[in-house]
Amino acid sequence: MNIIYRNFLRLVRSGAFATDEKIEPMTAWKWNRLYQLALMQNITPVIIKGLDNLKDDFFLQIPDKMLQHWTASNECGSIMENETGQASLRLTNPFLNRELERIIEQENSDFDNMSSLKKGVNPPTLNLLYVMLQISANLLNAGISMKQLVDMGMLLRRQGHRIDFVKLQSWIEQLKMKRMAHLEGVLLMSLLKFEEDELPFLNANSHIKNEDIVKDIFTLNESHSNDWYFTQGKNIFVRANDSSAMMWHMRHNVKYSKYYPAESLTNIIAGFAHSLSHIEE
Protein backbone atom coordinates (compact mmCIF):
# COMPACT_ATOMS: atom_id res chain seq x y z
CA MET A 1 0.00 0.00 0.00
CA ASN A 2 1.57 3.28 -1.07
CA ILE A 3 1.95 6.43 1.00
CA ILE A 4 -1.15 8.12 -0.46
CA TYR A 5 -3.39 5.24 0.56
CA ARG A 6 -1.78 4.99 4.00
CA ASN A 7 -2.37 8.68 4.71
CA PHE A 8 -5.86 8.45 3.25
CA LEU A 9 -6.78 5.70 5.72
CA ARG A 10 -5.19 7.59 8.61
CA LEU A 11 -7.29 10.65 7.85
CA VAL A 12 -10.43 8.52 7.47
CA ARG A 13 -9.86 6.88 10.86
CA SER A 14 -9.15 10.20 12.54
CA GLY A 15 -12.13 11.93 10.92
CA ALA A 16 -14.58 9.12 11.63
CA PHE A 17 -13.35 7.84 14.99
CA ALA A 18 -11.13 10.64 16.36
CA THR A 19 -8.07 8.38 16.49
CA ASP A 20 -4.58 9.81 16.92
CA GLU A 21 -2.65 9.15 13.72
CA LYS A 22 0.81 9.99 12.42
CA ILE A 23 0.92 11.44 8.90
CA GLU A 24 3.77 10.73 6.50
CA PRO A 25 5.14 13.72 4.52
CA MET A 26 3.86 14.05 0.95
CA THR A 27 4.31 16.40 -1.98
CA ALA A 28 1.54 18.75 -3.13
CA TRP A 29 0.91 16.42 -6.09
CA LYS A 30 0.32 13.47 -3.78
CA TRP A 31 -1.99 15.50 -1.56
CA ASN A 32 -3.98 16.38 -4.66
CA ARG A 33 -4.21 12.69 -5.55
CA LEU A 34 -5.48 11.97 -2.05
CA TYR A 35 -8.13 14.66 -2.52
CA GLN A 36 -9.21 13.08 -5.82
CA LEU A 37 -9.49 9.74 -4.05
CA ALA A 38 -11.66 11.32 -1.34
CA LEU A 39 -13.97 12.73 -4.00
CA MET A 40 -14.14 9.41 -5.84
CA GLN A 41 -15.05 7.63 -2.61
CA ASN A 42 -17.58 10.31 -1.59
CA ILE A 43 -15.86 10.67 1.77
CA THR A 44 -14.50 14.23 1.65
CA PRO A 45 -16.30 15.35 4.88
CA VAL A 46 -14.55 12.62 6.85
CA ILE A 47 -11.16 13.54 5.35
CA ILE A 48 -11.69 17.22 6.19
CA LYS A 49 -12.55 16.29 9.78
CA GLY A 50 -9.39 14.18 9.92
CA LEU A 51 -7.31 17.09 8.64
CA ASP A 52 -8.74 19.29 11.37
CA ASN A 53 -8.09 16.67 14.07
CA LEU A 54 -4.47 16.24 12.95
CA LYS A 55 -3.72 19.86 12.08
CA ASP A 56 -0.86 20.00 14.61
CA ASP A 57 0.97 17.08 12.99
CA PHE A 58 4.30 18.40 11.70
CA PHE A 59 4.07 16.48 8.42
CA LEU A 60 0.53 17.61 7.62
CA GLN A 61 1.78 20.29 5.26
CA ILE A 62 -0.91 20.99 2.67
CA PRO A 63 -0.66 24.17 0.55
CA ASP A 64 -3.10 26.80 1.85
CA LYS A 65 -4.89 27.19 -1.49
CA MET A 66 -5.42 23.44 -1.71
CA LEU A 67 -6.76 23.26 1.85
CA GLN A 68 -9.16 26.15 1.13
CA HIS A 69 -10.37 24.30 -1.96
CA TRP A 70 -10.96 21.15 0.10
CA THR A 71 -12.84 23.06 2.77
CA ALA A 72 -15.03 24.84 0.19
CA SER A 73 -15.99 21.52 -1.38
CA ASN A 74 -17.07 20.27 2.05
CA GLU A 75 -19.60 23.01 2.85
CA CYS A 76 -22.61 20.85 1.99
CA GLY A 77 -21.10 17.57 3.12
CA SER A 78 -22.23 15.20 5.84
CA ILE A 79 -20.06 12.68 7.66
CA MET A 80 -22.70 10.00 8.00
CA GLU A 81 -26.07 9.49 6.37
CA ASN A 82 -27.00 5.91 7.19
CA GLU A 83 -27.32 6.08 10.95
CA THR A 84 -30.94 7.23 10.84
CA GLY A 85 -33.76 7.28 8.36
CA GLN A 86 -35.74 4.62 6.57
CA ALA A 87 -33.65 2.74 4.02
CA SER A 88 -35.00 1.31 0.80
CA LEU A 89 -33.30 -1.89 -0.25
CA ARG A 90 -34.15 -5.12 -1.99
CA LEU A 91 -32.26 -8.23 -3.01
CA THR A 92 -32.31 -9.52 -6.58
CA ASN A 93 -32.79 -13.12 -5.42
CA PRO A 94 -36.60 -13.37 -5.01
CA PHE A 95 -36.39 -16.01 -2.28
CA LEU A 96 -33.89 -14.00 -0.24
CA ASN A 97 -35.82 -10.81 -0.87
CA ARG A 98 -38.99 -12.33 0.57
CA GLU A 99 -36.98 -13.38 3.59
CA LEU A 100 -35.63 -9.83 3.90
CA GLU A 101 -39.15 -8.39 3.69
CA ARG A 102 -40.27 -10.76 6.42
CA ILE A 103 -37.37 -9.71 8.63
CA ILE A 104 -38.12 -6.02 8.09
CA GLU A 105 -41.82 -6.40 8.77
CA GLN A 106 -41.26 -8.41 11.94
CA GLU A 107 -38.55 -6.12 13.30
CA ASN A 108 -40.51 -2.94 12.65
CA SER A 109 -43.63 -4.38 14.25
CA ASP A 110 -41.61 -5.24 17.36
CA PHE A 111 -40.57 -1.58 17.66
CA ASP A 112 -43.90 0.07 16.86
CA ASN A 113 -44.69 0.98 20.44
CA MET A 114 -41.20 1.88 21.62
CA SER A 115 -41.04 5.57 22.48
CA SER A 116 -37.23 5.57 22.38
CA LEU A 117 -37.29 5.52 18.56
CA LYS A 118 -38.18 8.56 16.50
CA LYS A 119 -40.54 8.24 13.59
CA GLY A 120 -38.74 7.12 10.44
CA VAL A 121 -35.68 5.82 12.28
CA ASN A 122 -34.76 2.18 11.84
CA PRO A 123 -34.23 -0.13 14.82
CA PRO A 124 -30.43 -0.25 15.35
CA THR A 125 -30.01 -3.94 14.51
CA LEU A 126 -32.06 -3.60 11.34
CA ASN A 127 -30.16 -0.46 10.39
CA LEU A 128 -26.88 -2.36 10.61
CA LEU A 129 -28.32 -5.09 8.39
CA TYR A 130 -29.29 -2.44 5.83
CA VAL A 131 -25.76 -1.04 5.74
CA MET A 132 -24.25 -4.51 5.41
CA LEU A 133 -26.58 -5.30 2.50
CA GLN A 134 -25.75 -2.00 0.82
CA ILE A 135 -22.06 -2.86 1.02
CA SER A 136 -22.88 -6.30 -0.41
CA ALA A 137 -24.83 -4.86 -3.35
CA ASN A 138 -22.12 -2.33 -4.10
CA LEU A 139 -19.41 -4.98 -3.99
CA LEU A 140 -21.18 -7.07 -6.65
CA ASN A 141 -21.81 -4.10 -8.93
CA ALA A 142 -18.93 -1.69 -8.49
CA GLY A 143 -16.64 -2.55 -5.58
CA ILE A 144 -16.40 -1.81 -1.87
CA SER A 145 -17.22 1.82 -1.09
CA MET A 146 -15.10 3.34 1.67
CA LYS A 147 -18.02 5.63 2.52
CA GLN A 148 -20.28 2.65 3.17
CA LEU A 149 -17.58 0.89 5.19
CA VAL A 150 -17.13 3.99 7.35
CA ASP A 151 -20.90 4.23 7.79
CA MET A 152 -20.91 0.66 9.06
CA GLY A 153 -18.01 1.34 11.41
CA MET A 154 -19.57 4.50 12.80
CA LEU A 155 -22.87 2.74 13.35
CA LEU A 156 -21.11 -0.02 15.29
CA ARG A 157 -19.20 2.49 17.41
CA ARG A 158 -22.20 4.75 18.07
CA GLN A 159 -24.95 2.19 18.54
CA GLY A 160 -23.13 -1.08 19.13
CA HIS A 161 -24.52 -1.30 22.67
CA ARG A 162 -28.06 -1.26 21.23
CA ILE A 163 -27.49 -3.89 18.55
CA ASP A 164 -28.76 -7.42 19.14
CA PHE A 165 -25.92 -9.43 17.62
CA VAL A 166 -27.65 -12.74 18.27
CA LYS A 167 -30.57 -11.58 16.16
CA LEU A 168 -28.22 -10.12 13.55
CA GLN A 169 -26.40 -13.45 13.25
CA SER A 170 -29.72 -15.19 12.72
CA TRP A 171 -30.60 -12.77 9.92
CA ILE A 172 -27.19 -13.23 8.32
CA GLU A 173 -27.77 -16.98 8.18
CA GLN A 174 -31.32 -16.59 6.86
CA LEU A 175 -30.08 -14.34 4.05
CA LYS A 176 -27.16 -16.70 3.33
CA MET A 177 -24.58 -13.94 3.65
CA LYS A 178 -22.20 -15.37 6.26
CA ARG A 179 -19.15 -15.07 4.02
CA MET A 180 -20.09 -11.54 2.96
CA ALA A 181 -20.58 -10.47 6.58
CA HIS A 182 -17.20 -11.94 7.48
CA LEU A 183 -15.55 -10.07 4.61
CA GLU A 184 -17.02 -6.80 5.81
CA GLY A 185 -15.71 -7.46 9.30
CA VAL A 186 -12.24 -8.29 7.96
CA LEU A 187 -12.19 -4.99 6.04
CA LEU A 188 -13.19 -3.06 9.17
CA MET A 189 -10.26 -4.62 11.01
CA SER A 190 -7.64 -4.25 8.28
CA LEU A 191 -8.57 -0.73 7.10
CA LEU A 192 -10.27 0.96 10.05
CA LYS A 193 -8.44 -0.90 12.86
CA PHE A 194 -11.49 -2.44 14.51
CA GLU A 195 -10.91 -5.12 17.14
CA GLU A 196 -12.25 -8.63 16.64
CA ASP A 197 -14.41 -8.41 19.78
CA GLU A 198 -16.27 -5.46 18.22
CA LEU A 199 -17.46 -7.72 15.39
CA PRO A 200 -19.38 -10.70 16.85
CA PHE A 201 -20.63 -11.70 13.39
CA LEU A 202 -17.16 -12.76 12.24
CA ASN A 203 -16.97 -16.38 11.12
CA ALA A 204 -14.09 -18.12 12.89
CA ASN A 205 -13.99 -20.82 10.19
CA SER A 206 -13.70 -18.39 7.29
CA HIS A 207 -10.30 -17.29 6.01
CA ILE A 208 -10.38 -14.42 3.54
CA LYS A 209 -7.49 -12.68 1.81
CA ASN A 210 -8.63 -9.15 1.15
CA GLU A 211 -5.65 -7.72 -0.76
CA ASP A 212 -7.49 -7.64 -4.12
CA ILE A 213 -10.54 -6.01 -2.56
CA VAL A 214 -8.43 -3.35 -0.85
CA LYS A 215 -6.80 -2.64 -4.22
CA ASP A 216 -10.24 -2.26 -5.79
CA ILE A 217 -11.27 0.25 -3.12
CA PHE A 218 -8.60 2.63 -4.37
CA THR A 219 -9.51 2.12 -8.03
CA LEU A 220 -13.29 2.22 -7.67
CA ASN A 221 -14.90 3.66 -10.77
CA GLU A 222 -18.67 3.73 -10.58
CA SER A 223 -18.98 4.62 -14.25
CA HIS A 224 -18.32 0.97 -15.02
CA SER A 225 -21.52 -0.07 -13.31
CA ASN A 226 -23.64 2.79 -14.61
CA ASP A 227 -22.60 3.24 -18.23
CA TRP A 228 -23.74 -0.01 -19.77
CA TYR A 229 -27.17 -1.04 -20.90
CA PHE A 230 -28.63 -2.34 -24.13
CA THR A 231 -30.06 -0.10 -26.80
CA GLN A 232 -31.68 -0.86 -30.13
CA GLY A 233 -29.96 0.36 -33.24
CA LYS A 234 -31.30 0.96 -36.71
CA ASN A 235 -30.74 -2.68 -37.64
CA ILE A 236 -33.14 -3.90 -34.90
CA PHE A 237 -30.44 -5.97 -33.19
CA VAL A 238 -29.87 -5.24 -29.53
CA ARG A 239 -26.42 -3.90 -28.71
CA ALA A 240 -24.58 -2.58 -25.66
CA ASN A 241 -23.89 1.15 -25.52
CA ASP A 242 -20.58 0.42 -23.79
CA SER A 243 -19.49 -3.15 -24.35
CA SER A 244 -16.29 -2.76 -22.33
CA ALA A 245 -18.26 -1.52 -19.33
CA MET A 246 -20.70 -4.40 -19.72
CA MET A 247 -17.89 -6.94 -19.80
CA TRP A 248 -16.22 -5.27 -16.82
CA HIS A 249 -19.48 -5.55 -14.90
CA MET A 250 -19.84 -9.24 -15.68
CA ARG A 251 -16.22 -10.07 -14.81
CA HIS A 252 -16.47 -8.07 -11.63
CA ASN A 253 -19.65 -9.81 -10.55
CA VAL A 254 -18.17 -13.24 -11.24
CA LYS A 255 -14.96 -12.31 -9.41
CA TYR A 256 -16.84 -11.45 -6.21
CA SER A 257 -19.64 -14.00 -6.51
CA LYS A 258 -17.88 -16.28 -4.00
CA TYR A 259 -18.65 -13.80 -1.23
CA TYR A 260 -22.40 -13.92 -1.86
CA PRO A 261 -23.17 -16.79 -4.28
CA ALA A 262 -26.88 -16.85 -3.40
CA GLU A 263 -27.25 -13.29 -4.72
CA SER A 264 -24.61 -12.95 -7.44
CA LEU A 265 -26.29 -14.89 -10.26
CA THR A 266 -29.63 -13.13 -9.91
CA ASN A 267 -27.72 -9.85 -9.67
CA ILE A 268 -26.27 -10.45 -13.15
CA ILE A 269 -29.71 -11.34 -14.49
CA ALA A 270 -31.21 -8.23 -12.89
CA GLY A 271 -28.50 -6.14 -14.55
CA PHE A 272 -29.42 -7.51 -17.96
CA ALA A 273 -33.12 -6.95 -17.27
CA HIS A 274 -32.40 -3.36 -16.28
CA SER A 275 -30.37 -2.82 -19.44
CA LEU A 276 -33.14 -4.22 -21.64
CA SER A 277 -35.58 -1.76 -20.10
CA HIS A 278 -33.61 1.01 -21.87
CA ILE A 279 -34.42 -0.33 -25.32
CA GLU A 280 -36.51 2.13 -27.28
CA GLU A 281 -39.75 0.69 -28.61
Side-chain angles (χ1 to χ4, degrees), residues 50-266:
L51 289 171
D52 185 61
N53 290 344
L54 303 177
K55 60 186 176 183
D56 294 328
D57 188 295
F58 177 77
F59 292 113
L60 190 64
Q61 299 177 1
I62 304 177
D64 290 339
K65 288 186 178 181
M66 183 180 294
L67 186 59
Q68 291 171 6
H69 179 64
W70 286 28
T71 304
S73 69
N74 184 47
E75 290 180 354
C76 299
S78 172
I79 286 187
M80 186 174 180
E81 299 173 356
N82 283 328
E83 184 177 21
T84 61
Q86 191 70 31
S88 176
L89 186 69
R90 61 178 290 110
L91 295 170
T92 58
N93 184 311
F95 301 103
L96 295 183
N97 192 62
R98 282 197 292 271
E99 192 68 22
L100 175 61
E101 291 174 346
R102 188 194 65 77
I103 289 171
I104 294 171
E105 182 179 0
Q106 180 63 47
E107 183 68 2
N108 283 329
S109 67
D110 290 344
F111 279 80
D112 277 346
N113 298 319
M114 293 188 66
S115 58
S116 61
L117 289 179
K118 298 178 182 179
K119 183 177 180 181
V121 176
N122 297 323
T125 310
L126 184 59
N127 202 37
L128 178 57
L129 179 67
Y130 277 137
V131 176
M132 294 176 74
L133 286 170
Q134 288 169 346
I135 292 174
S136 165
N138 209 68
L139 174 64
L140 293 177
N141 291 292
I144 289 286
S145 162
M146 180 59 69
K147 170 65 169 58
Q148 292 176 338
L149 200 63
V150 168
D151 283 348
M152 181 178 174
M154 293 181 73
L155 180 56
L156 284 165
R157 289 278 170 86
R158 293 179 176 183
Q159 296 192 22
H161 62 288
R162 299 178 58 197
I163 293 173
D164 185 339
F165 285 103
V166 174
K167 181 183 290 185
L168 178 66
Q169 187 63 44
S170 174
W171 292 346
I172 288 172
E173 292 177 1
Q174 291 174 54
L175 297 175
K176 303 186 185 305
M177 57 179 295
K178 290 177 64 175
R179 189 168 176 81
M180 177 62 71
H182 181 77
L183 170 64
E184 293 172 12
V186 168
L187 290 170
L188 285 175
M189 289 193 297
S190 63
L191 299 178
L192 302 182
K193 305 304 181 184
F194 270 64
E195 298 294 333
E196 188 171 342
D197 59 5
E198 296 180 272
L199 309 166
F201 49 83
L202 284 174
N203 183 359
N205 297 320
S206 182
H207 302 283
I208 291 177
K209 295 181 179 180
N210 63 348
E211 291 83 359
D212 288 343
I213 297 176
V214 171
K215 181 180 178 181
D216 283 353
I217 288 176
F218 296 114
T219 57
L220 176 62
N221 184 353
E222 291 189 357
S223 65
H224 283 303
S225 61
N226 295 329
D227 288 349
W228 74 273
Y229 52 85
F230 290 110
T231 57
Q232 191 171 27
K234 296 179 180 179
N235 58 356
I236 301 179
F237 292 103
V238 174
R239 62 183 175 83
N241 76 318
D242 188 339
S243 58
S244 63
M246 181 187 70
M247 293 305 298
W248 179 92
H249 180 269
M250 293 184 64
R251 287 195 301 267
H252 180 89
N253 196 299
V254 170
K255 177 181 178 181
Y256 291 108
S257 63
K258 61 184 177 182
Y259 298 110
Y260 204 173
E263 174 73 1
S264 60
L265 178 59
T266 52

